[in-house]
Amino acid sequence: MSGNVVHLHKEEPEPLTNEAAVTTLTVVPDRPAPRPVPLWLRSGRAVRTFVTHEATKTTARTVARHSLYVVGGARIVSRRAWDGRTAARYERMLRAAEAAGNFEAAAEWEERGQRFRDARHRRRMDLLHSPLDAAKGAAVSAGMGVGGLVLLGVAMAVATKDPADVVTPLMAVVKFINLMITIVQVVWGPLISIGPFLALLALWSVGAHQQAAPQWALPAGARSNEGEPITPSIVVKALRDLGIPALRKAITEMGDAGASMLSPIVIAGCGVEVDVTLPSGVSTNEIQAKRRKLAENLSRHEHEVFITIPQAARTVRLWVADSGALDEPIGPSPLATDDTMTADYAKGRAPWGQDLRGDAASLSLYQRHLLITGLSNQGKTVALRSLALWLSLDRSVQFLMGDLKGVGDWAMFDGLASTLIQGPTDEHVIQVTEMVESAVDEMNRRIQAPPGTQFPPLIVLVDEAQVAFMCPAKDEDKRPYGGAKANSRYFMAVRKIHNQGRAVNVLMWQGTQDPTNENLPKLVREGAHTRASLALGTESQARMALGDKAVDGGAAPNLLRPGLDRGTLVVASDGIQIPAGQSSITVRTHYIDDDTAAAITDRAKALRDGVTTLHAVERGEERDPLADIAAAIGDAPRLRTQDVIKRLSALNPDAYGDWSPGDLTRVLDGTGAEPYKSDGRMVVSRDHIARALANRDADGSASDA
C-alpha cells in the first residue's frame, strides 16, 4: 500500500458481549502538506503592494513636487536676475515684434535696449572711480564727524563746567559701535545656520507660485492645462514636438526660436487663427497628417484644430477653437425668428449657419446643382431642407420632390411642391425616376424656346438618392432604373439635367448617405456645383463627397465626430464666401425642427395662389413601340430610320415626338430587327420587325404555359 497511510482504530467492546476487540483498517489518501511561501517572495509581494499603492504614489508625487519647486524657483530667479542685468528682455520683445510684422514696435524696443546698454556702460565706468571717491568721501565725512563731536563735547563741558565732558560724545559713539558689533556677533552664527534654509524657502515660494514642476508631479487639479490660451511660444513648441525632424532642427537653429514662422495670432470667432510659414524641407501635407498630435500639443481635442492651406506658398493656417466652444449650440435660424423674411433666388443667399469664426454663413443657390452627403443620422435632411425652406419664400420657385426615405421629413411641402413622392420601395424609385425624366422634358422644352426667354426656377430634389442608384428594378424594355450605365434611367436623367439644366434654371438637388462609387457615381457627384459633406468614415469617402482639390486643401469631413458634430458641414462651392486661398469652409448649420419647418412652409404657401401637389407621376397611354414601328413601316419592305421616326411622331406625338435615331436603335436592340445599312443609309426591315413580333409573342405564350 505504497503511498497511503494506515491508521489503526481499536473499537471499544460492547458491554453485553464477550466478542474480542475488533481492529479495523481505514485507508486515507495521502494529502501533500502545503509548501511554505519563500520569504523573498513574500517580501517582494509586500514591496510591490507598497510601491503600487495609491498613497505611496501620492506621497512620492508630493515629495517630488515640492523638491522640484525649489529647482524651478531657482531657475526663475536666475532668469529674472539675468534679464535684469542684461538686455535679454529687450531682445525677446524685439524678435517677437519682428515676427509679428510690427516693425514700429521693433524699432522702439531696439531703442530701449540701446538706452539700457548705454546706462549700464556708464555705471560700469563709474565703478572704476568709485573706490577713490568713496575713500575721499569717507575721510571728509570722518573728519567732519569727529570735529562735530568735539565741538559738541566742548559745548557740553562749558555748560557743565566739567572738562571730562569734552570726550563724552565721542565715547557715546564708540560704545554704540561696540554694541552693534556685539549684536552682530550674537546674531551672525544663527543667521549663517538658517540663512540657506530661508533662501530655499524663498525659492520654493517662487516655484510653487509659478507651478514650476512637471505635469505628473502637480496636484490633480493643476495637472490639466486644457483650454490654456494659445500663445506664440505654445504654437512653436507644439510644432517643434510634432516628430518631424526637419521642422525640429529648423526651429532649433532659428535665432528667434521659431517666432518668425508665425503671423500675428488673431481672434477668429470662438477660437484663434495663425498662419505658419514652414521652413524649407517641410511640406504642408506633413503638418496635415499630424493633426491629432498637433491638437494634443496645443492642449486641445482633435476636432478643435483645423488645418487649411492658404494662398501663400509653404504655409498652413491653423484655427484653434477655445476649449469646448464647438460643443456649444449656435443660435436659431433667421428663418425661424424673422416672420417677414423672403427669398430671392437670383440675388439672395440662404442663411445656412455659422462658420468657425462665428460669422454668418450664407449660400447662393442661383443656377447651382447641389449635393449633400454624409453618414446616416448626421443632419443631412435638415441641412438640405433648410435651403429648400428659404427658397420656398420666393414665390416664383417650383419644386419637384422625391423623398426615398418616406418618414415624413418633407411632408410640410405638400401643397407647395408640384410633385411630392414619399417612400422607399422600388415603385417609389420608379415614380421618382419618371419625375426626374419629366424635368428633363421640361428642360428640353425650355432650351427650344426663343433666346432670351426667362424661366422660373425648377428645383428637382431627391433625398436619399442612393436608394435610386441601387434600385434593381427594370422597365418593360429591360432598362434598369438604378445603376450607372448608359441605359440606367435615373442616372441618365440626372446627367442630362447636370449637363444643360443650369442654363434654363432647372436644378438638381440630391441628398445621399455613406457615399460609394456604386450608390453615388463619379459623373453625378462631379456634376454638382455645390458639394457639402457631414461626418464621413474615411478619407476616400471625403474625396468622393468634395473632390480631390478640397481634400488636398485641408477639407476633412472624415475627421468630424459622428453624433457629436451633427449638422456640421464641410462645403466646397463658389456660392459661399470662403477665405482667400482655401478650397472649402466648415459650417455649423442651424437646426430647424419639423414644427418650425411647417410654419415656414405655411408662410410660403400664403405667397402663392395655391399649388396642387401630385403624389404620383401621371403616366400616358401605354404604347408598344415594336408594334407601332411595324405599323409605321406599313407595306414597305424597308424604311429609312428617319422616316420611321417621322411616322412614329405622327402616330403619337406624346410618346414619340422627341425620339432620335438612338431611341429607335435602343428599342430594336436585341430583337433581331436592328437597323442596318442599305445603299449607304440606315433602314429598318419590315420582315425583321414582323419576325421579332412573332418571336416575342411565341416567347410570351411559352412563358404563360
Side-chain angles (χ1 to χ4, degrees):
M1 300 178 66
S2 175
N4 295 320
V5 178
V6 178
H7 299 276
L8 298 178
H9 300 279
K10 187 174 182 179
E11 297 183 358
E12 293 293 332
E14 297 182 3
L16 299 179
T17 65
N18 293 325
E19 294 181 349
V22 180
T23 302
T24 61
L25 296 177
T26 303
V27 180
V28 180
D30 188 11
R31 296 190 181 122
R35 298 178 60 184
V37 179
L39 179 61
W40 64 268
L41 183 56
R42 284 182 290 173
S43 302
R45 290 175 179 173
V47 170
R48 184 178 63 180
T49 303
F50 173 76
V51 170
T52 58
H53 197 274
E54 188 61 32
T56 305
K57 293 180 181 179
T58 303
T59 303
R61 278 198 298 265
T62 302
V63 173
R65 176 168 69 251
H66 291 286
S67 301
L68 292 169
Y69 278 165
V70 177
V71 178
R75 185 178 67 252
I76 294 171
V77 170
S78 300
R79 183 169 182 177
R80 289 175 180 175
W82 176 258
D83 287 346
R85 300 291 297 173
T86 66
R89 178 184 292 109
Y90 301 97
E91 292 292 337
R92 285 200 305 272
M93 300 304 293
L94 172 61
R95 288 196 299 267
E98 288 179 342
N102 191 346
F103 298 106
E104 182 179 351
E108 182 180 351
W109 283 110
E110 184 178 16
E111 183 181 353
R112 290 185 182 182
Q114 189 59 43
R115 288 201 302 267
F116 171 82
R117 294 186 185 93
D118 293 341
R120 183 180 60 186
H121 177 71
R122 287 194 299 270
R123 289 194 301 270
R124 290 175 177 175
M125 295 304 295
D126 291 343
L127 288 176
L128 298 176
H129 306 285
S130 58
L132 182 59
D133 295 338
K136 290 180 179 179
V140 172
S141 299
M144 293 179 62
V146 172
L149 292 174
V150 171
L151 289 176
L152 180 60
V154 171
M156 290 176 62
V158 171
T160 60
K161 297 179 182 181
D162 184 1
D165 287 341
V166 173
V167 295
T168 298
L170 286 174
M171 294 308 296
V173 172
V174 171
K175 290 179 180 180
F176 177 75
I177 293 174
N178 185 55
L179 177 61
M180 292 297 104
I181 292 173
T182 303
I183 293 174
V184 170
Q185 288 176 342
V186 173
V187 175
W188 184 254
L191 187 62
I192 290 298
S193 301
I194 67 173
F197 295 101
L198 294 176
L200 290 176
L201 181 60
L203 295 177
W204 175 89
S205 177
V206 173
H209 184 265
Q210 297 291 332
Q211 297 285 322
Q215 289 291 314
W216 59 266
L218 293 176
R223 280 201 293 269
S224 175
N225 56 355
E226 182 177 340
E228 64 181 349
I230 300 300
T231 62
S233 61
I234 289 177
V235 175
V236 172
K237 185 176 182 299
L239 293 168
R240 185 195 65 192
D241 296 339
L242 278 181
I244 302 175
L247 180 59
R248 184 180 185 89
K249 181 179 179 182
I251 292 175
T252 303
E253 293 176 351
M254 289 180 183
D256 56 1
S260 59
M261 298 168 52
L262 308 182
S263 70
I265 297 177
V266 297
I267 296 177
C270 57
V272 296
E273 190 174 77
V274 59
D275 285 357
V276 181
T277 302
L278 301 176
S280 178
V282 182
S283 62
T284 55
N285 60 350
E286 288 182 278
I287 305 297
Q288 288 180 304
K290 299 278 187 176
R291 178 184 177 188
R292 172 173 295 181
K293 190 169 186 178
L294 177 61
E296 293 172 349
N297 290 348
L298 293 170
S299 301
R300 295 294 191 274
H301 296 292
E302 183 179 12
H303 71 277
E304 294 176 328
V305 174
F306 288 81
I307 305 173
T308 55
I309 310 300
Q311 196 166 5
R314 212 172 67 237
T315 302
V316 293
R317 177 168 295 160
L318 307 180
W319 184 87
V320 185
D322 298 336
S323 184
L326 294 183
D327 296 326
E328 299 293 330
I330 64 173
S333 170
L335 289 171
T337 58
D338 186 0
D339 293 340
T340 63
M341 175 177 285
T342 58
D344 187 337
Y345 162 75
K347 299 178 181 179
R349 289 178 175 268
W352 211 6
Q354 294 180 1
D355 61 18
L356 296 179
R357 292 172 170 266
D359 299 330
S362 54
L363 179 67
S364 172
L365 303 173
Y366 178 66
Q367 293 188 345
R368 289 179 175 88
H369 301 303
L370 175 67
L371 172 66
I372 299 179
T373 187
L375 297 178
S376 177
N377 196 31
Q378 297 304 308
K380 167 182 54 63
T381 296
V382 173
L384 182 61
R385 189 176 67 182
S386 65
L387 297 178
L389 288 171
W390 176 80
L391 198 55
S392 69
L393 297 176
D394 183 341
R395 61 177 300 170
S396 66
V397 177
Q398 302 171 2
F399 291 99
L400 300 177
M401 290 185 169
D403 174 16
L404 293 177
K405 184 189 296 182
V407 295
D409 289 335
W410 298 88
M412 66 285 300
F413 281 85
D414 193 355
L416 188 60
S418 301
T419 300
L420 176 60
I421 299 168
Q422 302 178 88
T425 67
D426 289 349
E427 179 59 31
H428 291 101
V429 172
I430 294 172
Q431 292 284 334
V432 167
T433 301
E434 293 176 350
M435 177 191 77
V436 178
E437 289 174 339
S438 70
V440 173
D441 295 338
E442 172 63 16
M443 176 189 72
N444 292 332
R445 185 190 68 79
R446 294 183 178 190
I447 291 174
Q448 296 171 4
T453 304
Q454 297 297 319
F455 300 102
L458 175 61
I459 307 300
V460 186
L461 190 153
V462 179
D463 195 12
E464 305 296 342
Q466 77 278 356
V467 177
F469 286 113
M470 300 300 291
C471 178
K474 296 182 179 181
D475 63 12
E476 64 277 2
D477 296 325
K478 306 301 180 183
R479 295 179 60 199
Y481 287 95
K485 297 181 179 180
N487 62 344
S488 300
R489 291 181 58 176
Y490 180 80
F491 170 76
M492 290 306 299
V494 172
R495 287 290 300 135
K496 290 176 181 178
I497 294 177
H498 278 175
N499 289 339
Q500 296 178 297
R502 184 190 64 83
V504 290
N505 287 331
V506 177
L507 303 179
M508 191 76 209
W509 289 10
Q510 295 183 96
T512 182
Q513 64 176 252
D514 202 10
T516 65
N517 285 321
E518 288 72 26
N519 65 23
L520 187 59
K522 178 180 174 66
L523 292 177
V524 170
R525 60 182 185 249
E526 291 186 351
H529 303 98
T530 296
R531 299 166 73 173
S533 175
L534 297 114
L536 288 172
T538 64
E539 182 180 326
S540 62
Q541 286 185 317
R543 293 184 181 276
M544 291 180 190
L546 300 177
D548 291 336
K549 180 180 179 181
V551 175
D552 291 338
N558 53 301
L559 296 182
L560 295 174
R561 302 167 298 167
L564 297 177
D565 290 325
R566 185 179 287 111
T568 299
L569 287 162
V570 181
V571 185
S573 172
D574 61 351
I576 193 169
Q577 186 174 359
I578 297 177
Q582 294 181 206
S583 56
S584 65
I585 188 172
T586 302
V587 176
R588 304 172 68 197
T589 58
H590 295 295
Y591 176 73
I592 302 177
D593 60 32
D594 292 349
D595 293 338
T596 305
I600 296 171
T601 53
D602 288 342
R603 287 159 41 198
K605 294 171 186 176
L607 298 174
R608 292 165 170 79
D609 295 332
V611 176
T612 300
T613 299
L614 300 178
H615 297 283
V617 176
E618 294 182 350
R619 294 188 175 96
E621 179 186 357
E622 292 291 337
R623 305 294 303 184
D624 183 350
L626 199 58
D628 287 344
I629 292 172
I633 295 175
D635 297 332
R638 67 182 64 87
L639 195 65
R640 290 188 307 168
T641 56
Q642 292 289 350
D643 294 335
V644 173
I645 293 172
K646 289 180 181 179
R647 293 186 181 185
L648 287 173
S649 179
L651 178 65
N652 193 316
D654 293 335
Y656 306 112
D658 58 350
W659 265 37
S660 65
D663 295 311
L664 181 62
T665 301
R666 172 179 55 80
V667 170
L668 297 179
D669 188 26
T671 63
E674 294 85 353
Y676 63 94
K677 275 192 176 182
S678 176
D679 297 330
R681 295 181 178 182
M682 297 299 294
V683 298
V684 178
S685 168
R686 179 193 63 187
D687 295 339
H688 291 174
I689 295 294
R691 189 182 307 116
L693 282 170
N695 292 337
R696 188 186 67 178
D697 294 340
D699 292 342
S701 300
S703 61
D704 292 341

